[in-house]
């Protein structure tokens, strides 16, 4: 590494490709200023990719590490239009889609649902009181009579 930059001790050299760096075979890559370098890993699947930068690092144990930055173009996926729906109960509107289809709940059905919900909540409240209060308490006795 020192011959490119005399009188300087560098642990890392970064080289822009400038179209000169290329993968020759499964275990050989050609890099400007260094020539052909043998690598341990199989890199043949990257043979037709564009190399942007190569970086050679000297590790603490005296070995060298080669880092390669590739440039790839990812194709965009096409836009898929879907219909979304919103479920709510404001003004008795129970369904609204992105196509502006709306479905309303009739007043009669809404009133029945409210009545059933009130009964359910009352029963849940009684159940909760039974678990926390003694069976002989005055509150439980009133609930059982009423």
């Amino acid at each position: 590494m020192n011959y490119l930059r005399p009188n300087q001790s560098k642990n890392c050299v970064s080289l822009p490709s400038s179209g000169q760096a290329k993968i020759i075979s499964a275990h050989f890559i050609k890099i400007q200023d260094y020539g052909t370098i043998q690598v341990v890993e199989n890199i043949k699947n990257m043979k037709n990719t564009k190399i942007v930068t190569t970086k050679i690092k000297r590790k603490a144990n005296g070995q060298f590490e080669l880092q390669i930055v590739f440039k790839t173009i990812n194709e965009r996926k096409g836009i898929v239009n879907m219909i979304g729906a919103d479920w709510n109960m404001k003004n008795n509107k129970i369904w609204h889609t992105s196509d502006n289809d709306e479905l309303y709940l009739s007043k009669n059905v809404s009133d029945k649902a409210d009545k059933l919900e009130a009964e359910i909540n009352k029963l849940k409240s009684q159940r909760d009181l039974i678990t926390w209060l003694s069976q002989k308490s005055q509150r439980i006795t009133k609930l059982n009579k009423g």
Side-chain angles (χ1 to χ4, degrees), residues 28-56:
F28 289 93
I29 183 169
K30 183 178 180 185
I31 298 176
Q32 67 210 41
D33 298 332
Y34 287 91
T36 304
I37 297 175
Q38 185 175 2
V39 295
V40 176
E41 293 184 26
N42 187 339
I43 56 173
K44 72 177 179 182
N45 61 334
M46 301 173 196
K47 188 166 184 158
N48 295 324
T49 57
K50 182 179 179 191
I51 298 173
V52 178
T53 306
T54 54
K55 191 179 280 191
I56 301 172

Side-chain angles (χ1 to χ4, degrees), residues 78-93:
I79 297 172
V80 178
N81 290 327
M82 296 185 152
I83 297 174
D86 184 23
W87 168 268
N88 62 37
M89 293 292 286
K90 185 175 181 183
N91 299 326
N92 289 337
K93 180 168 53 170

Side-chain angles (χ1 to χ4, degrees), residues 58-119:
R58 178 182 288 142
K59 298 176 94 179
N61 62 4
Q63 292 183 342
F64 291 92
E65 178 180 278
L66 176 66
Q67 293 181 346
I68 307 168
V69 178
F70 296 98
K71 181 176 183 178
T72 59
I73 298 172
N74 295 333
E75 291 185 28
R76 294 187 73 168
K77 293 183 179 179
I79 297 172
V80 178
N81 290 327
M82 296 185 152
I83 297 174
D86 184 23
W87 168 268
N88 62 37
M89 293 292 286
K90 185 175 181 183
N91 299 326
N92 289 337
K93 180 168 53 170
I94 58 171
W95 195 258
H96 188 129
T97 68
S98 55
D99 286 343
N100 283 330
D101 293 332
E102 297 176 349
L103 181 63
Y104 288 88
L105 187 67
S106 71
K107 180 76 173 140
N108 185 26
V109 172
S110 177
D111 290 343
K112 285 181 184 178
D114 289 344
K115 184 179 175 186
L116 288 172
E117 187 176 6
E119 287 181 37

